Amino acid sequence: MGTVVHHRYATVRGHRLFYREAGSADLPTIVLLHGFPTSSFMFRNLIPQLAGYRVIAPDHLGFGLSDAPTVEEFDYSFDALAELTQGLLEQLGVQRYAMVVHDYGAPIGWRLAIANPESVVAVISQNGNGYDEGFVPSGWAPIWAYQRNPSSENEATLRGVFTPAAIRGQYVTGVADESVLSPDTWTLDHAYLSRPGNAEVQLKLFADYITNPPLYPALHRWLRDNQVPVLAAWGEGDPFFGPDGARAFARDTDKAEIHVLEGGHFLLESACDEVASLIREFLAKYLPAA
């Protein structure tokens, strides 16, 4: 019998959050935190390969099937998204877990770990950055410009990121054989981003990303002080987060396993089986499955 994945909702601090869940509550837990511009849908092929664990993969507020209040209705920030994620985990009775972080999921995960240093027992980073050298300047230049000066011109440039072609580009860049990628991914992402008011949500988070690098020293201290096991499974051709961001984890923990693989930002779309195998082998040492 294969892994049964449940699709559920929980109300956290007045907001309805969607999450995918597999495995029973008595199993060791893995929390999967997605990035921009996607949702927990990015983990649809990974979750069934994590049998023996309780797996929880939420959609962040404003993404996927979770509520998406406007910027007038909710003050979007990475602090706020982390607080909602912590609230969901508390509601589900999750106190100790490994986490898989990708893109935006990384700064959300770092906040959870810094606030609750004993709760996170291992980190799997799939292009989830935690070091200054991980940034690819060409990919970040429009966001940095908008952070420095949120002018109408810089905003218009960033709004170009929400087009179907730009979203597709996030998936195909760095992938040798584009035919292995499912077009459903960028089509679904574009549909969610096209909801009324959602572009403004994403612009707010682009601006707030400036709060993330200042957290890196605290992340590094947490890794060093606790010698947290880290698996970095990194798509080499990511146009936003380069492989130096993966290698840097080895500076702060002796339990770092670094794998730079052929692929792009969404490595799970082209190398899910390989990444899943690495995750299972890694967690067998640090959070054995039931």
Side-chain angles (χ1 to χ4, degrees):
M1 181 177 177
T3 302
V4 177
V5 180
H6 300 274
H7 305 83
R8 294 177 164 139
Y9 290 89
T11 300
V12 180
R13 302 181 185 179
H15 300 287
R16 195 168 183 245
L17 300 180
F18 172 82
Y19 65 99
R20 300 167 198 264
E21 183 176 20
S24 60
D26 59 343
L27 296 175
T29 301
I30 310 172
V31 177
L32 313 182
L33 299 175
H34 72 82
F36 170 86
T38 185
S39 65
S40 62
F41 184 74
M42 71 168 286
F43 298 119
R44 68 200 180 282
N45 296 322
L46 177 62
I47 294 172
Q49 300 203 48
L50 299 176
Y53 292 95
R54 183 188 191 189
V55 183
I56 297 168
D59 287 357
H60 308 311
L61 193 76
F63 293 81
L65 293 169
S66 288
D67 280 354
T70 66
V71 293
E72 290 79 22
E73 297 166 328
F74 184 82
D75 187 14
Y76 284 88
S77 68
F78 286 90
D79 283 347
L81 297 184
E83 289 170 5
L84 287 171
T85 305
Q86 181 62 34
L88 175 65
L89 296 180
E90 290 172 359
Q91 189 168 316
L92 297 179
V94 176
Q95 298 178 333
R96 185 174 182 271
Y97 55 94
M99 61 181 178
V100 177
V101 297
H102 171 262
D103 188 73
Y104 277 10
I108 293 169
W110 306 152
R111 283 166 169 79
L112 298 178
I114 292 165
N116 304 281
E118 303 302 321
S119 294
V120 181
V121 299
V123 171
I124 297 102
S125 176
Q126 193 265 281
N127 296 65
N129 193 50
Y131 293 85
D132 289 338
E133 56 263 57
F135 291 106
V136 177
S138 59
W140 281 88
I143 296 174
W144 291 338
Y146 182 72
Q147 290 170 349
R148 290 190 302 266
N149 177 19
S151 65
S152 57
E153 181 180 357
N154 287 336
E155 178 181 319
T157 299
L158 269 190
R159 284 179 179 270
V161 173
F162 308 144
T163 65
I167 297 169
R168 179 181 179 276
Q170 290 201 35
Y171 282 88
V172 303
T173 301
V175 178
D177 181 3
E178 295 178 11
S179 72
V180 304
L181 303 176
S182 172
D184 301 276
T185 52
W186 54 81
T187 303
L188 183 61
D189 290 350
H190 179 254
Y192 286 138
L193 287 175
S194 298
R195 291 173 294 180
N198 199 257
E200 288 70 28
V201 169
Q202 305 306 331
L203 289 169
K204 186 79 182 294
L205 290 172
F206 283 155
D208 192 65
Y209 204 96
I210 200 170
T211 66
N212 294 330
L215 289 177
Y216 292 168
L219 165 68
H220 305 159
R221 284 194 299 273
W222 172 69
L223 293 171
R224 285 195 305 272
D225 293 348
N226 297 278
Q227 285 301 294
V228 180
V230 175
L231 169 66
W234 215 269
E236 184 175 24
D238 189 333
F240 307 104
F241 299 117
D244 285 345
R247 300 182 185 108
F249 283 107
R251 289 208 304 262
D252 291 311
T253 175
D254 295 333
K255 298 174 182 175
E257 300 181 15
I258 313 299
H259 299 269
V260 178
L261 308 175
E262 181 182 286
H265 188 61
F266 290 101
L267 184 62
L268 294 178
E269 296 301 325
S270 60
C272 186
D273 290 349
E274 186 174 0
V275 174
S277 179
L278 291 171
I279 292 174
R280 290 193 301 267
E281 292 172 10
F282 172 75
L283 289 179
K285 290 178 275 189
Y286 301 112
L287 187 68

